[in-house]
Amino acid sequence: MEWLKSIAPNLVAYSKNFIESCEQTFQMLLLSGIISFAIGLLLGVILTITKKDGIKPNAVIFHVLDIIVSFFRAIPFLILLIFLIPLTRSVVGTAIGVKGAILPLVFGCVPFFTRQVQAALAGVDPGKVEAAKSMGSGTVGIIFRVYLHEAVPDLIRVTVITAISLIGLTTMAGAVGAGGIGAFAINFGQGLNHTDIIYVCVALLLIIVVLLQGIGDALAKNTTNKTLVNKKYK
Amino acid sequence: MIEIRNLNKTFKDKNGEVVAVKDVNLKINDGEIYGIIGYSGAGKSTLIRLLNLLEKPDSGYISINGQVIYDSEGETLKGRELNLARKGIGMIFQSFNLLDRSNVYDNIAYPLKYTGKSKEEITSRVKELLELIGLEDKINAYPSQLSGGQKQRVAIARALASNPSVLLSDEATSALDPDATESILNLLQELNEKLHLTIVIITHEMSVIKRICERVSVMENGEVVEEGDVYQIFANPQQPITKKFINSASPVGKLEQLLKDNAITYDNEKGKLVKLTFGKDSVGDAIISEISRKFNVNLNIVLANVDNLREGTLGNMVAVISGEEEKVKETIEYLESNFVRVEVIK
Ligand SMILES: Nc1ncnc2c1ncn2[C@@H]1O[C@H](COP(=O)(O)OP(=O)(O)OP(=O)(O)O)[C@@H](O)[C@H]1O
Ligand SMILES: [Mg+2]
């Protein structure tokens, strides 16, 4: 503690705010991450199967979704944050704080993740899909037993990439009232001119990113051409 | 029996239309190994993929074991019924198409899972299949740990898991080395005999047809241009493309190249270059020494080859017969009367 006080006195002074902002960032990441993962995966799968040579081609669904995803992907996140304020207010009752940040974060994250999921699923050899069809698998069977099953390492990779970009988005959301580490760095670091706070925030974010990347890489490596936990049949 | 009538399939894209399958009619008998040969782009894959509706025909009729798979004038299978019918039609591919993240057990069990079978039933069936393909010790291996030949064996086991009566093979040996090719062809023949499995084999290699097929279709530009018994086709090919395929699989096929290079020299005045085909009814080698004695001619063998087809052996020989003109003529007549087919080349 003494040591920390000597190198980052301001951080120690505002330690309560610091811990609170860490919690806020964590909440934003977890909540918007889980929601975005579910929606993005769903949209990625739908786009994959409804495209022209997909297993359930449907031009209308494909094009409508494709345009919506491209639209939200094209809007810079800061603009999106402002653009979505009325919607956020009407849905969750407030546009500030963690609660108000979830919706714009999901909107900012889903289009990006959807495209990443599409790319991951496009990496599944169409021959495998064909073989599954020839064995009598239906649409649901092919989605779960071929597409999602074979794409696991790539899905892990793109989830990590998306999670890291989501961390970036939460700090931006912080700038407009969501709280979190980003807001803490701006208000207490830059605003009060405490550079030690800025450095600690940067270091903390760096550690989170490196950790995420490391875990993701290890998981992806251990699921390539095998299951994570090897099954043994006798 | 697989029955195909007036089957058509045209692909349309921005570059225009490609007639991939054109008015094909075929009957493939139960328990038969049937070959379809043709060059790249002939429409072989399209034809075989039409059989289990991986590709939708434009018109025609397909039935397998009495079940109508497709009929442009009537009912066509779709949805759940189609999926069920596909379980009765196994298929293997050039690129194996195994699930890379599943081990051998799970790959073979793929068609068995979610069908209401108990774990024990699935396990015993998988083991049965592993024994059939001789890979019991690879039960926990992943595809990345197997050789091409072993992968194809697993793919065969997987295709047979739900006890289909028909196996469709699209260039299943094209990615394999000669040894692995041989062992896969052996396995297919064994399965055909043991399980009375009807096998439709697509290939661009005549050696594959020669090795295991009973009947064959030759495809060119979407059409079946020649069809019949493999032995008959080898003994007496009609279409130029068929002859080309047969030559590709036989040393005697080198003849044209040798003639072009002037590598065969003989006295044009006194000799005739002939191609002899010895069928299973011909007497065999003895006749060669017999004619030299009988007609006082010289027989100089340029190229020779014996093929072991399923129905019997077939010999081919290119030789120069030289001697008195009258005697050479008599020799040829004598050979023909002994069921040797004689083609005078020059
Ligand atoms: N999905 C498709 N869309 C458009 N054209 C296609 C399609 N599939 C096949 N074709 C065309 O149909 C023709 C027959 O193709 P097919 O794959 O059946 O040939 P093949 O005899 O199997 O050749 P190969 O030995 O190279 O596999 C080719 O001209 C090909 O370009
Ligand atoms: Mg092909």
Side-chain angles (χ1 to χ4, degrees):
Chain A
M1 206 64 203
E2 279 309 308
W3 168 77
L4 198 62
K5 213 170 190 166
S6 71
I7 60 160
N10 299 308
L11 184 81
V12 175
Y14 295 107
S15 63
K16 228 180 112 218
N17 304 67
F18 177 65
I19 289 165
E20 193 189 12
S21 62
C22 284
E23 278 170 10
Q24 286 165 342
T25 293
F26 187 69
Q27 282 171 356
M28 281 192 277
L29 269 179
L30 204 68
L31 272 169
S32 59
I34 289 170
I35 297 170
S36 303
F37 180 83
I39 298 175
L41 196 64
L42 184 71
L43 292 181
V45 167
I46 294 175
L47 281 165
T48 301
I49 65 170
T50 55
K51 72 166 190 277
K52 210 164 110 243
D53 50 359
I55 55 172
K56 208 97 191 132
N58 187 319
V60 176
I61 294 179
F62 178 84
H63 284 115
V64 168
L65 278 183
D66 195 51
I67 289 168
I68 294 175
V69 169
S70 292
F71 175 78
F72 281 100
R73 185 117 160 65
I75 305 175
F77 185 63
L78 221 53
I79 312 272
L80 190 68
L81 271 173
I82 298 157
F83 175 72
L84 285 175
I85 287 175
L87 181 70
T88 311
R89 270 215 190 97
S90 71
V91 174
V92 292
T94 174
I96 54 163
V98 170
K99 234 172 134 188
I102 301 299
L103 195 81
L105 283 173
V106 168
F107 270 82
C109 185
V110 163
F112 180 72
F113 188 54
T114 300
R115 292 295 183 221
Q116 300 274 340
V117 169
Q118 267 183 287
L121 299 185
V124 174
D125 184 349
K128 291 175 184 172
V129 175
E130 189 121 283
K133 271 195 207 171
S134 80
M135 291 185 283
S137 266
T139 309
V140 177
I142 293 174
I143 291 172
F144 284 98
R145 304 180 68 195
V146 182
Y147 273 123
L148 294 179
H149 181 265
E150 290 295 288
V152 163
D154 281 335
L155 288 173
I156 291 172
R157 278 187 205 102
V158 303
T159 302
V160 168
I161 292 172
T162 310
I164 290 170
S165 83
L166 184 60
I167 294 174
L169 299 189
T170 61
T171 57
M172 268 196 261
V176 293
I181 298 172
F184 181 71
I186 293 170
N187 298 335
F188 293 84
Q190 195 235 0
L192 300 178
N193 206 13
H194 298 322
T195 42
D196 62 325
I197 286 183
I198 297 178
Y199 289 150
V200 170
C201 288
V202 169
L204 183 68
L205 290 173
L206 197 73
I207 290 167
I208 296 175
V209 168
V210 169
L211 225 60
L212 263 176
Q213 189 71 57
I215 295 168
D217 286 348
L219 277 175
K221 187 164 167 263
N222 284 302
T223 50
T224 299
N225 291 337
K226 65 191 277 296
T227 44
L228 187 60
V229 181
N230 284 331
K231 291 187 222 163
K232 283 271 175 258
Y233 298 97
K234 271 182 276 150
Chain B
M1 193 172 71
I2 302 175
E3 211 179 334
I4 302 169
R5 279 190 246 139
N6 309 105
L7 198 61
N8 286 289
K9 174 73 184 178
T10 302
F11 290 107
K12 297 178 189 71
D13 58 18
K14 24 190 188 319
N15 309 321
E17 295 191 345
V18 180
V19 182
V21 170
K22 192 173 170 193
D23 201 28
V24 167
N25 289 279
L26 287 179
K27 278 201 173 103
I28 299 171
N29 300 319
D30 285 343
E32 179 172 46
I33 303 187
Y34 194 95
I36 298 171
I37 190 166
Y39 288 113
S40 189
K44 309 176 299 285
S45 294
T46 307
L47 176 60
I48 208 169
R49 287 156 48 80
L50 289 173
L51 295 184
N52 56 1
L53 296 188
L54 285 179
E55 211 74 72
K56 205 174 169 302
D58 295 332
S59 65
Y61 172 92
I62 304 165
S63 77
I64 296 182
N65 295 330
Q67 182 182 27
V68 178
I69 303 286
Y70 175 83
D71 186 357
S72 49
E73 248 116 68
E75 292 268 312
T76 289
L77 285 183
K78 29 181 177 321
R80 215 169 269 280
E81 271 177 24
L82 174 60
N83 290 342
L84 210 64
R86 280 174 174 165
K87 287 188 176 290
I89 313 166
M91 191 169 195
I92 53 174
F93 309 83
Q94 178 172 355
S95 49
F96 321 121
N97 296 340
L98 297 174
L99 296 178
D100 292 313
R101 292 198 57 249
S102 293
N103 62 16
V104 167
Y105 179 99
D106 287 323
N107 266 293
I108 298 176
Y110 183 99
L112 302 170
K113 288 179 184 167
Y114 308 103
T115 56
K117 287 189 172 60
S118 73
K119 239 190 170 122
E120 290 72 33
E121 274 177 287
I122 293 176
T123 304
S124 81
R125 178 75 184 130
V126 170
K127 286 194 174 154
E128 212 175 285
L129 290 156
L130 277 170
E131 202 185 315
L132 204 61
I133 58 165
L135 286 179
E136 292 99 322
D137 55 329
K138 297 286 185 197
I139 186 165
N140 288 312
Y142 288 94
S144 62
Q145 300 164 324
L146 301 176
S147 71
Q150 290 171 332
K151 281 185 210 169
Q152 197 58 285
R153 279 171 183 268
V154 174
I156 290 171
R158 180 177 74 164
L160 296 180
S162 32
N163 272 313
S165 58
V166 174
L167 181 68
L168 308 175
S169 160
D170 189 353
E171 304 271 12
T173 58
S174 299
L176 304 177
D177 67 36
D179 275 353
T181 296
E182 180 65 19
S183 87
I184 292 293
L185 293 178
N186 276 333
L187 176 64
L188 289 179
Q189 191 166 352
E190 201 183 302
L191 294 170
N192 163 257
E193 284 157 12
K194 237 192 233 171
L195 311 172
H196 197 66
L197 186 68
T198 308
I199 305 181
V200 183
I201 289 188
I202 279 195
T203 182
H204 58 266
E205 291 168 312
M206 206 55 179
S207 55
V208 170
I209 301 283
K210 200 161 88 178
R211 175 71 184 65
I212 61 168
C213 293
E214 288 149 84
R215 288 198 301 143
V216 64
S217 277
V218 183
M219 273 189 94
E220 192 176 21
N221 300 325
E223 289 181 274
V224 171
V225 292
E226 191 161 355
E227 205 239 327
D229 206 83
V230 170
Y231 193 87
Q232 289 311 320
I233 296 237
F234 262 82
N236 195 9
Q238 302 297 314
Q239 299 293 327
I241 182 176
T242 314
K243 290 181 184 163
K244 229 167 132 185
F245 270 120
I246 291 175
N247 285 341
S248 72
S250 159
V252 175
K254 290 199 192 89
L255 179 63
E256 248 170 70
Q257 193 58 43
L258 291 175
L259 284 173
K260 233 197 277 167
D261 299 346
N262 279 323
I264 307 172
T265 50
Y266 62 98
D267 189 347
N268 236 358
E269 299 292 307
K270 280 202 253 163
K272 268 194 167 27
L273 184 67
V274 294
K275 185 176 166 198
L276 309 177
T277 306
F278 300 86
K280 54 182 187 253
D281 305 319
S282 339
V283 246
D285 326 337
I287 201 167
I288 300 296
S289 48
E290 192 185 325
I291 49 173
S292 342
R293 263 182 280 127
K294 202 162 177 164
F295 300 99
N296 196 23
V297 289
N298 253 329
L299 204 120
N300 203 349
I301 298 171
V302 182
L303 294 163
N305 178 49
V306 177
D307 282 323
N308 269 316
L309 301 173
R310 278 193 82 159
E311 212 176 296
T313 50
L314 185 70
N316 273 294
M317 184 187 287
V318 175
V320 179
I321 308 177
S322 45
E324 279 173 46
E325 204 184 331
E326 195 56 30
K327 291 287 178 197
V328 171
K329 219 178 121 198
E330 275 175 39
T331 309
I332 292 175
E333 275 163 13
Y334 181 76
L335 283 168
E336 279 173 337
S337 70
N338 277 290
F339 305 106
V340 178
R341 206 160 59 84
V342 184
E343 266 174 88
V344 179
I345 296 161
K346 273 215 285 212

